[in-house]
Amino acid sequence: MLEIYNTLAREKQEFVPIVPGKVGLYVCGMTVYDYCHLGHARVMVVFDMAVKWLEASGYAVNYVRNITDIDDKIIRRAIENGESIGELTARFIEAMHEDASALGVAPPDHEPRATQYVEHMISMTNTLIAKGLAYPAPNGDVYYSVHDFEGYGRLSGKSLEDLRAGERVEVDPSKRDALDFVLWKSAKPGEPSWDSPWGKGRPGWHIECSAMSEELLGEHFDIHGGGQDLQFPHHENEIAQSEGAHGHKFVNYWMHNGFVRVDDEKMSKSLGNFFTVREVLEKFDAEVVRFFILRAHYRSPLNYSDQHLMDAKAALTRLYTALRRLEVLEVSDHSSCDNLDWDTQYAKRFRAAMDDDFNTPEAIAVLFDMATEANISNSVPLSIQLRKLGGVLGLLQRDPRQFLQGDSKQSQGMSAGQIDTLIQQRTDARKAKDFAESDRVRNELLQAGIILEDGPQGTTWRRA
RNA sequence: GGCGGGGUGGCAGAGUGGUCAUGCAGCGGCCUGCAAAGCCGUCCACACCGGUUCGAUUCCGAUCCCCGCCUCCA
C-alpha cells in the first residue's frame, strides 16, 4: 500500500486513485530560456522515479509535464540574443530533452506547451470573470481576486493576513488587492500577443497549468508535483483558478521535491550558484548523477559538490562490481518487471521502502545488502534480481563492464587496445615471476587511471 | 515579522521508544607474489537543557543554530 506525503494535508496519506488502477499526474516542468540546471534535473528524475514506481505497482499512469514557452524571461532573453522566441524555445526544449534522456528520464505521456493552449486559458479566464472571481482592470490586465476565493492559502499554510504582513513588493495600482495575481497581461508594443476579449495580450504564468491539466487530465486528478518553490504562489494560484472555475476539488495529492543546494544555499538562477546538467555530465557519468539524486529522499535537501558526486560514483561502482562478478550481462527491459519475484525478502523490503513515500535511500540500501549477499553466494538469480530492482529506479541497466571501464569515446585516457597490450605484458612478466616488471606495468596503468584486478579468469580492469 | 522544514558517527544519508541502516573513508584480519576487488571483524552518532517512561536519538516543552517560502525561480 503506497503512502504519499501530501503537502495539502501535511502528512503521509494512503494513495487511493480516483479511478482504480489509473493515475493522473501533472508536474510543472521548465520555462525554456536557458539550459536545465541540477534543480531541474532533480524534478525530472524524482517524478520519473515516481512514475516508474507507480507503474511497477500496477497503475496505468498518465503523466503530463508542461513546458512554459512564453513569459517575461523568455521575451527578454530572445531580445538579448537577437533571436526569435520560437528559435530560443525550440533550442532549449531540445537541450532539455537531451538532458532528460541522458539521465534516464522517460518522456512524459504529454508535454503540452503553454502557447498551444492560449484559447483554453482565455476561456478559463472568462469563466472566472463570470463567476466573480476575476476582474479586468483598466490597464487591460485581468486579475484573479484572491479575496473572493475561500481557502486561499491552504496549500502553503498562509492566511491572507500573513501574506499581507510579509508583502515585499510595491502594490500595482490597478489591482484591487495587492495579493491579486494576473491571469492575462495586456501586450506591450513589440511583444508577442494573442487576441482576447480584453484586447491583445498574453496569459499570466499560473493559468497555463490550470488550463492544460484540465485539458489533459480532467478537472479533478490524482497527483500534482513540482519543486518546493512552486508551492507558493504558483500551486496556490492553480488551486484558486481551477477550483474557482470548476467549483470542485482540483487535485488529491500534492507532492513537492526539495531543493538542490550549493554550500547549504538553494541552487537558483537568481543566486547564480547553479550548475547546468550538461556541465555536470562533462565531469560525471549520467547514471552517477541519477544515483546521486535518488540516494537522498526526494523531500530532503540535496547538497551538490564534486566530492558528493565522487562518493556516489564509488557507491554505484560497488553495485556494478557485484553484477560484473556474476557476468550477468544480458540487458533487461527498463520498464518491465514482469518476471520480478516480489515474494523474496529483499523485494519485500524494497517494496515497503518505496511504498513509504518513495523512500529511495532505503530502497537503495536494500540493493547494497543484495550486492553483499551476491558477492558471498555467487547467486546468479540474486544478481538478476538486483539488476531488476535497480531497473525499477532506472539504475543498473548497463553492461557492468561498460560502466566500470567507461565509454572509450568520452574518456581521454588509454584505449582499451593499449590497456590490453599492457595487461598482456604484465601477465607474461608474472608468469616469468618478474614481479618488478609486473608492478612497473601495473603502476604505469595506474598513472593512466586504470586499476587492475587479478581474478581466477585472468586480469580485468576498470577506470578510477 | 508570519508560516514551514531541519540539526544523526570523518563525509554522505535513512530510520526507530529497548540487538543491524546503507555507501564512502579509517583500523585489524582473510585472500593475493604484492595489490585491487571481495569477505570477516571493528572504531566513530543521534545540537543543547529539562520532562514523560522501567528505558529516548526516537514522544513532550524550552534554548541555540541552519535552511526555505512570503518576489521570478524546480
Side-chain angles (χ1 to χ4, degrees):
Chain A
M1 182 190 80
L2 173 63
E3 287 199 326
I4 296 178
Y5 182 89
N6 186 355
T7 307
L8 197 56
R10 269 162 244 295
E11 64 180 14
K12 287 184 205 169
Q13 297 180 323
E14 181 183 351
F15 176 67
V16 182
I18 295 166
V19 178
K22 295 190 175 177
V23 178
L25 169 66
Y26 187 97
V27 172
C28 291
M30 278 266 296
T31 301
V32 283
Y33 69 101
D34 207 338
Y35 292 113
C36 293
H37 65 231
L38 236 36
H40 301 114
R42 191 177 192 189
V43 179
M44 293 196 286
V45 168
V46 158
F47 286 99
D48 180 68
M49 170 278 293
V51 168
K52 283 179 164 68
W53 181 243
L54 287 164
E55 287 175 346
S57 303
Y59 291 106
V61 181
N62 190 187
Y63 177 25
V64 180
R65 188 185 64 208
N66 74 297
I67 292 174
T68 300
D69 61 352
I70 180 69
D71 96 317
D72 291 345
K73 292 187 291 295
I74 291 172
I75 294 170
R76 198 187 322 133
R77 184 62 60 89
I79 292 168
E80 282 168 16
N81 290 357
E83 65 185 327
S84 75
I85 286 170
E87 284 165 351
L88 177 82
T89 57
R91 214 149 52 79
F92 286 115
I93 287 170
E94 190 184 340
M96 174 185 70
H97 286 156
E98 286 168 7
D99 292 342
S101 156
L103 292 168
V105 171
D109 297 292
H110 300 280
E111 199 170 42
R113 302 177 190 186
T115 52
Q116 299 165 331
Y117 289 83
V118 174
E119 284 302 306
H120 300 97
M121 300 184 219
I122 291 172
S123 73
M124 195 169 218
T125 302
N126 252 332
T127 303
L128 289 168
I129 293 172
K131 293 202 171 191
L133 291 168
Y135 57 93
N139 64 358
D141 291 354
V142 179
Y143 295 103
Y144 192 101
S145 179
V146 159
H147 175 78
D148 290 306
F149 179 72
E150 201 182 333
Y152 189 80
R154 217 154 60 83
L155 179 69
S156 50
K158 300 171 192 302
S159 70
L160 287 175
E161 293 67 45
D162 293 342
L163 287 164
R164 291 204 175 89
E167 270 166 34
R168 286 194 259 153
V169 280
E170 66 253 49
V171 178
D172 186 329
S174 50
K175 290 183 182 178
R176 289 181 193 166
D177 187 305
L179 297 168
D180 290 350
F181 59 91
V182 69
L183 295 170
W184 186 261
K185 297 171 110 145
S186 61
K188 298 191 186 79
E191 285 183 353
S193 64
W194 287 259
D195 288 320
S196 84
W198 318 286
K200 283 190 177 299
R202 60 192 162 90
W205 175 37
H206 313 295
I207 192 72
E208 68 174 77
C209 290
S210 285
M212 295 190 287
S213 65
E214 180 197 316
E215 276 302 306
L216 295 164
L217 295 170
E219 295 181 359
H220 179 206
F221 57 94
D222 298 293
I223 306 173
H224 190 131
Q228 225 161 41
D229 44 3
L230 298 185
Q231 190 177 324
F232 188 91
H234 184 56
H235 291 161
E236 194 71 72
N237 292 350
E238 277 188 55
I239 293 174
Q241 292 162 344
S242 294
E243 298 196 353
H246 302 139
H248 57 76
K249 179 111 171 168
F250 174 42
V251 166
N252 285 351
Y253 303 87
W254 287 88
M255 288 176 65
H256 292 98
N257 66 273
F259 298 128
V260 176
R261 298 194 199 170
V262 177
D263 296 330
D264 285 324
E265 271 194 327
K266 176 185 173 184
M267 178 184 289
S268 75
K269 301 246 171 168
S270 25
L271 287 171
N273 62 346
F274 62 90
F275 294 85
T276 64
V277 172
R278 42 199 57 205
E279 272 178 290
V280 174
L281 291 184
E282 277 173 26
K283 289 197 278 187
F284 297 98
D285 182 278
E287 189 175 351
V288 167
V289 177
R290 184 180 176 99
F291 181 83
F292 166 70
I293 292 170
L294 261 18
R295 211 181 170 202
H297 185 84
Y298 76 90
R299 283 190 285 116
S300 300
L302 179 64
N303 241 346
Y304 173 85
S305 76
D306 281 2
Q307 185 56 51
H308 296 164
L309 264 296
M310 282 157 69
D311 287 351
K313 180 186 175 183
L316 190 56
T317 296
R318 176 171 160 82
L319 293 178
Y320 267 118
T321 302
L323 291 178
R324 184 188 58 179
R325 272 168 69 86
L326 300 178
E327 304 290 343
V328 181
L329 300 180
E330 71 272 31
V331 176
S332 67
D333 182 351
H334 286 220
S335 58
S336 165
C337 33
D338 289 348
N339 33 18
L340 206 165
D341 182 2
W342 286 104
D343 281 332
T344 66
Q345 285 308 305
Y346 288 120
K348 282 178 181 169
R349 278 176 60 199
F350 185 94
R351 173 180 285 286
M354 291 300 286
D355 273 346
D356 180 15
D357 194 30
F358 307 98
N359 192 338
T360 52
E362 186 69 38
I364 286 172
V366 175
L367 263 29
F368 281 102
D369 287 345
M370 294 176 78
T372 300
E373 190 185 319
N375 284 335
I376 296 167
S377 68
N378 289 330
S379 158
V380 171
L382 182 59
S383 193
I384 288 172
Q385 193 185 32
L386 167 59
R387 171 180 283 250
K388 285 191 171 158
L389 284 175
V392 173
L393 296 174
L395 300 169
L396 302 180
Q397 298 307 293
R398 286 193 274 169
D399 178 339
R401 279 176 208 284
Q402 196 262 321
F403 175 83
L404 295 168
Q405 301 186 343
D407 197 333
S408 56
K409 69 171 184 275
Q410 76 172 25
S411 66
Q412 51 276 76
M414 282 189 200
S415 72
Q418 289 173 292
I419 293 165
D420 287 340
T421 303
L422 285 166
I423 286 177
Q424 189 54 51
Q425 274 179 32
R426 175 170 170 273
T427 302
D428 293 341
R430 290 180 73 210
K431 276 185 189 146
K433 304 269 186 224
D434 183 355
F435 295 121
E437 169 64 5
S438 158
D439 290 350
R440 189 198 63 74
V441 174
R442 183 170 64 197
N443 205 38
E444 183 183 338
L445 283 160
L446 188 60
Q447 294 303 310
I450 306 300
I451 295 167
L452 297 188
E453 296 168 354
D454 295 331
Q457 279 94 34
T459 301
T460 55
W461 61 274
R462 66 189 165 90
R463 293 191 194 272

